[in-house]
Amino acid sequence: MDAVLRLAVAADGPAVAGLARSAVETQFPAYYDAVQTASAAEHITTLDTALIDDGTYYVLEAGREVVACGGWSRRNKLFNASTAGADERLLDPATEPARIRAMFVRADWTRRGLGRAILTACTDAARAEGFTRLALMSTLPGVPLYKAFGFTEVEPAQLPMPDGTTLAGVAMERPIEETA
């Protein structure tokens, strides 16, 4: 069965939150300890509804199930647990990169090109709004996908969760090529 890409709507919220939590709980233990995994499941899987409201968040559906999700933002926020209020300012496409946000793939659907499909849609949409670069803050499980999509590591990072737990992460960027 193929997955169909579409923009997320508010009604997708519960499915997206469930998918995100499941993805963290199944994929993070290979990279983080139990405390870090539990903290991530609590704090980075909360859906940022501004992404849906802005029309920049996608889901991939197979049948009637959401099997992958992710998006981009024109706002100044790198990840869900980052500082409250940071997402209010709109980025300047001429000088700042669009942000890739909240990418999750259900464990039984990994390695099928779903992450790449979402990243391609994000890149195309950001390009259409004048952005020339993409930036993201990756947790360790996401680094291989982003590298395969052309992102380069900018620097390692420590991602503070609201409960005081810290996750290792990587700040990454890539240019958006112009279309022919």
Side-chain angles (χ1 to χ4, degrees):
M1 177 183 307
D2 289 333
V4 177
L5 180 72
R6 65 172 173 78
L7 281 172
V9 295
D12 292 319
V16 168
L19 166 65
R21 182 174 278 280
S22 174
V24 166
E25 290 171 345
T26 58
Q27 297 164 23
F28 277 43
Y31 298 87
Y32 302 109
D33 67 30
V35 171
Q36 292 169 315
T37 298
S39 180
E42 177 69 22
H43 298 293
I44 68 171
T45 63
T46 303
L47 177 62
D48 182 350
T49 57
L51 296 170
I52 292 176
D53 294 343
D54 287 348
T56 61
Y57 201 69
Y58 299 91
V59 295
L60 276 156
E61 267 185 333
R64 294 188 174 188
E65 295 183 46
V66 175
V67 296
C69 56
W72 71 281
S73 182
R74 59 182 74 85
R75 297 181 186 276
N76 189 34
K77 188 174 184 182
L78 277 175
F79 64 100
N80 276 359
S82 60
T83 307
D87 61 335
E88 298 302 319
R89 182 178 68 80
L90 292 176
L91 299 166
D92 178 358
T95 61
E96 297 175 291
R99 313 295 197 220
I100 296 296
R101 299 272 317 281
M103 297 278 299
F104 300 99
V105 178
R106 202 168 80 182
D108 59 336
W109 279 81
T110 59
R111 317 241 6 117
R112 297 188 193 189
L114 303 184
R116 178 174 287 279
I118 291 170
L119 288 170
T120 298
C122 292
T123 302
D124 292 345
R127 179 189 304 109
E129 289 198 20
F131 285 94
T132 61
R133 293 179 299 137
L134 297 172
L136 60 86
M137 183 59 70
S138 181
T139 55
L140 299 180
V143 171
L145 166 67
Y146 299 129
K147 281 186 173 180
F149 196 74
F151 281 88
T152 57
E153 294 184 22
V154 175
E155 63 185 352
Q158 294 298 311
L159 311 177
M161 299 295 107
D163 62 7
T165 303
T166 303
L167 303 177
V170 180
M172 304 180 84
E173 286 194 8
R174 76 164 283 215
I176 296 175
E177 298 84 14
E178 292 191 28
T179 56

